[in-house]
Amino acid sequence: MVALTTRPAVPPASSPAGAPVRRLPALRHLGPNWYASVMGTAIVATAGAGLPWQPPGMRTALTVVWALSALLLGVLLTARALHWAHHRDQARAHLLDASMAPFYGCLAMALLAVGGATLVVGSDWIGVRAAVAVDLVLFTAGTVTGVLAAVAVPYLMVTRHRPPLADASPVWLLPVVAPMVSAALGPLLVPHLPAGQLRQTLLYCCYGLFGLSLLGALLMLPLVVGRLLTGGPPALALTPTLFLVLGPLGQSTTAVHQLAEAAQGVVPGPYAGGFATLAVLYGVPVMGFAALWLGLAGALVVRALRRGLGFSLTWWGFTFPVGTCVTGLAGLGSRTGLRLFDLAATGLYALLVAAWLVACAGTARRLVTGRLPAPPA
């Protein structure tokens, strides 16, 4: 991904000889795309907890993964704050770059993913009360950030970036998908709120976020497909981003299931029944399309590997979107009782864990060798 270079808004400090002095140079190229590693780690814990089969020791392993995601989030939030403090010109350049600005949606999804994992598995270590408090803070911050990104990034694309349609990429989906993560994880907080207006308000707000994100994704997706059909495969390094299309598919299926679960006893019976019906009538066809896209994207990735695709941070695109499909399929399995969905969720989870291990190893190796963070190629 190419970052635009812009004139710094605030002149950097200078040495006595007049040469610019930059503090913390290792953080200069630390972009918002790094939050994908937090999302990809947290979803391993959340998706694993929802599987129908739980072998001995798995819960403990998932809790360790959650702790790792929380640690990564804290480190990245600190590093990104330092990046804005010491490399504000580069941070602004990221916002003015059509290929980097959409990754600000990853910040929101990282907050939400860690918050949801805290409530799902982290409560085993810190207790339910503390987990609810942590999730409430992260959910609120992630939802506000996600809605802002869903508005601000398209606004920048319209007024400043103006990318040609030939540059349409699945990365464009990231800002509008963030509210769908809120819609999927918000219902987990509903039972922990006082009965009555607060529970209903959160439930219906999550349903509104579901619509906001779904319609936004439906506007973007035809541009991505049209770009592939008329322009051919993406550049090798960007091929893993094709898996990002699975994000809104799996996350929306997860959202309708979680909304249906939370609606029981919160809204009137006919509405709760409608939520439950929608979870199946919507989820099954969407997962069918997700299977189609998984096959297409997988074939294009194999093609890219044969042509020399090397590791980059885009490989984290193999994690979170696949994890959302795992949670979506697991929800359909529990709602319909069909073992087919359970088997599919388990198989995809194995793929998710393998992709996560590869992404972790590749990122760690390049951090140690100093190849990351690095200037974009």
Side-chain angles (χ1 to χ4, degrees):
M1 300 176 194
V2 180
L4 299 179
T5 56
T6 60
R7 180 175 300 174
V10 179
S14 300
S15 66
V21 176
R22 298 193 184 279
R23 298 178 180 178
L24 303 174
L27 298 181
R28 179 160 180 78
H29 299 288
L30 185 76
N33 53 332
W34 278 81
Y35 286 112
S37 63
V38 179
M39 299 158 49
T41 302
I43 197 67
V44 172
T46 305
L51 292 177
W53 297 288
Q54 298 287 320
M58 182 171 179
R59 185 78 181 185
T60 301
L62 297 178
T63 310
V64 171
V65 174
W66 157 77
L68 176 60
S69 71
L71 176 63
L72 286 173
L73 178 62
V75 170
L76 273 176
L77 287 175
T78 302
R80 285 287 297 162
L82 292 173
H83 178 268
W84 269 95
H86 298 294
H87 301 284
R88 190 166 299 177
D89 63 315
Q90 186 67 23
R92 291 181 176 180
H94 287 160
L95 281 173
L96 297 178
D97 183 1
S99 64
M100 185 61 74
F103 283 100
Y104 273 90
C106 290
L107 166 59
M109 289 187 278
L111 295 168
L112 293 164
V114 173
T118 301
L119 191 55
V120 172
V121 297
S123 57
D124 292 355
W125 284 4
I126 66 175
V128 174
R129 187 171 182 177
V132 170
V134 171
D135 188 23
L136 188 60
V137 171
L138 292 179
F139 174 79
T140 302
T143 299
V144 171
T145 304
V147 172
L148 288 176
V151 175
V153 175
Y155 173 81
L156 287 174
M157 294 177 73
V158 171
T159 60
R160 299 294 298 272
H161 303 157
R162 297 184 182 177
L165 290 179
D167 290 346
S169 162
V171 172
W172 290 9
L173 292 167
L174 290 174
V176 297
V177 171
M180 187 65 78
V181 181
S182 295
L185 296 176
L188 298 176
L189 285 168
V190 170
H192 301 282
L193 297 180
Q197 287 284 320
L198 282 178
R199 290 187 180 183
Q200 292 181 7
T201 299
L202 178 57
L203 186 70
Y204 283 117
C205 283
C206 288
Y207 204 78
L209 291 168
F210 168 83
L212 181 161
S213 181
L214 178 64
L215 295 178
L218 290 177
L219 291 174
M220 294 289 189
L221 190 55
L223 302 179
V224 176
V225 176
R227 157 64 183 81
L228 287 175
L229 294 178
T230 59
L236 288 183
L238 295 179
T239 304
T241 64
L242 293 173
F243 273 65
L244 297 180
V245 175
L246 295 174
L249 304 177
Q251 199 65 272
S252 61
T253 302
T254 304
V256 291
H257 168 69
Q258 295 292 355
L259 287 166
E261 288 288 302
Q264 302 299 320
V266 175
V267 297
Y271 293 160
F275 276 57
T277 302
L278 178 64
V280 177
L281 295 182
Y282 174 88
V284 175
V286 170
M287 283 293 95
F289 179 72
L292 168 66
W293 192 267
L294 180 62
L296 174 62
L300 289 172
V301 168
V302 171
R303 176 183 180 275
L305 287 171
R306 290 177 175 175
R307 285 162 171 76
L309 172 63
F311 179 82
S312 67
L313 285 179
T314 59
W315 282 46
W316 282 100
F318 294 135
T319 56
F320 189 81
V322 173
T324 65
C325 291
V326 173
T327 56
L329 287 168
L332 285 175
S334 66
R335 188 160 296 279
T336 62
L338 291 178
R339 300 295 292 274
L340 173 65
F341 293 125
D342 294 338
L343 291 171
T346 304
L348 269 186
Y349 186 72
L351 177 64
L352 167 63
V353 172
W356 176 70
L357 290 173
V358 171
C360 285
T363 303
R365 184 165 58 250
R366 282 155 181 78
L367 279 171
V368 171
T369 59
R371 296 169 62 187
L372 287 175

